[in-house]
């Protein structure tokens, strides 16, 4: 008996179920084309919606920040790690989101770990959409609050559960803004209405919404015109903004409380100067122009329309997230592998990330893609789709 036998068994189990993930390695910056495992391929699977991950304006801002502030913040924010850059980023996020205040933390995952346990205690109830992101689930696990899972996007079901728990004083409804695997939107106006009737708080995780929906990519609250009616927006700087980091935007009171008590803020060091400066540059660009957001949507609309004409099922997406539904995990893996041989990098996603029988390739469109790139991708999808019998010859 070795002390790591349990790990061997777990890894063996993953291999047997076909769930062992061989992670590909990128050897270039993340643009429309990337070098992966030594091969130049068209990138159709990163969250770099606006092409900011290697944008020269963001790179320049990061380099200037290193010259002025160095590479590290030196401490947690509350002791000696808050720089003028962090405060500038917070002001800019709040303005961009149309919120009273904002707090920057290290990642989107940390945003949920920071916020949910602070708002909810043992006497309270959290209502959470069944398809919410893992970081929301983990944030809920850090509380002693009762968790009530409502059926995906089902406000009727949510209302019934709110009714059942009407005796509970403090309630919080949490939902993803854009669901990352299907690209569908939360019915936020109806959720807010139900929350207002029941005196519940609302928190939305806008990770796949900001930079994508709303005017200039201001996110889902802006998209639905719900400013001031959503208590907390959690977000990330690692997707459309192209960098890394997370933030909470919302009422000044909640942000003040987080600044005093949130554990990822108090016990984990601040985001680095170059990261923060690049995030500021990304917001500055979007304040000034919505051109990258429009380009993203033009690319997404074109690609989805052409894929449907080819006979592919692209699911129920309302955003540039484009699931190409393939059914069995085996088909999805084979499809992805063949695409890679044809110089298209698009990852298969299967159980447990999505339900069994709903395996897919999730195509992520970007403003960085040219018309020529999309034509190339469509040609390869058509070729492999016919080869594997997914679409008619
Ligand atoms: C990606 C994602 C996160 C995590 O963001 P990171 O900044 O990468 O930690 C959190 N919530 C949702 C809904 C996401 O899609």
């Amino acid at each position: 008996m070795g002390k790591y036998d349990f790990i061997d068994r777990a890894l063996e189990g993953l291999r047997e179920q076909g769930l062992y993930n061989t992670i590909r390695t990128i050897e270039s910056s993340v643009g429309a084309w990337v070098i992966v495992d030594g091969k130049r391929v068209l990138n159709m699977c990163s969250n770099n919606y606006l092409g900011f991950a290697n944008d020269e304006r963001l790179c320049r801002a990061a380099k200037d920040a290193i010259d002025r502030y160095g590479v590290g913040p030196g401490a947690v924010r509350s002791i000696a790690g808050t720089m003028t850059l962090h405060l500038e980023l917070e002001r800019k996020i709040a303005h961009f989101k149309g919120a009273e205040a904002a707090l920057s933390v290290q990642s989107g995952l940390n945003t949920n770990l920071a916020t949910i346990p602070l708002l909810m205690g043992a006497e309270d109830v959290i209502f959470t959409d069944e398809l919410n992101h893992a970081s929301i689930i983990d944030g809920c696990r850090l509380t002693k609050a009762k968790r009530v899972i409502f059926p995906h996007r089902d406000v009727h079901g949510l209302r019934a559960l709110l009714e059942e728990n009407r005796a509970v004083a403090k309630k919080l409804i949490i939902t993803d803004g854009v669901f990352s695997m299907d690209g569908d939107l939360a019915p936020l106006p109806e959720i807010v209405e139900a929350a207002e009737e029941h005196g519940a708080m609302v928190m939305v995780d806008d990770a796949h919404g900001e930079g994508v929906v709303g005017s200039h990519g201001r996110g889902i609250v802006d998209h639905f015109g719900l400013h001031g009616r959503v208590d907390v927006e959690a977000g990330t700087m690692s997707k459309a903004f192209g960098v890394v980091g997370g933030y909470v935007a919302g009422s000044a009171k909640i942000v003040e409380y987080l600044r005093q008590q949130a554990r990822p803020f108090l016990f984990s060091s601040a985001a680095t100067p170059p990261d923060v400066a690049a995030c500021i540059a990304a917001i500055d660009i979007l304040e000034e122009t919505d051109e990258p957001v429009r380009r993203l949507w033009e690319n997404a609309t074109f690609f989805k329309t052409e894929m449907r004409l080819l006979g592919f099922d692209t699911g129920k997406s309302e955003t540039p997230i484009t699931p190409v539904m393939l059914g069995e995990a085996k088909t999805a893996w084979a499809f992805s592998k063949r695409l890679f041989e044809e110089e298209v990098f698009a990852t298969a996603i299967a159980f447990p990330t999505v339900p069994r029988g709903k395996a897919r390739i999730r195509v992520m469109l970007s403003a960085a893609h040219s018309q020529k790139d999309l034509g190339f991708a469509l040609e390869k999808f058509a070729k492999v789709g016919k080869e594997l019998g997914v679409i008619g010859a």
Side-chain angles (χ1 to χ4, degrees), residues 47 49 105-112 131-136 175-181 204-210 234-239 243-247 321 362:
N47 299 320
Y49 287 112
V105 291
Q106 307 86 353
S107 73
L109 181 140
N110 269 351
T111 297
N112 285 314
L131 293 189
N132 275 347
H133 189 260
S135 60
I136 296 179
T175 182
D176 277 21
V178 174
F179 289 87
S180 57
M181 291 302 145
V204 61
D205 183 334
D206 207 19
H208 282 278
E210 58 221 352
T236 176
M237 311 305 290
S238 70
K239 289 177 177 144
V243 194
V244 74
Y247 70 83
I321 295 170
R362 186 182 61 159

Side-chain angles (χ1 to χ4, degrees), residues 227-238:
H227 298 284
R229 292 172 70 192
V230 170
D231 300 273
V232 191
E233 282 181 81
T236 176
M237 311 305 290
S238 70

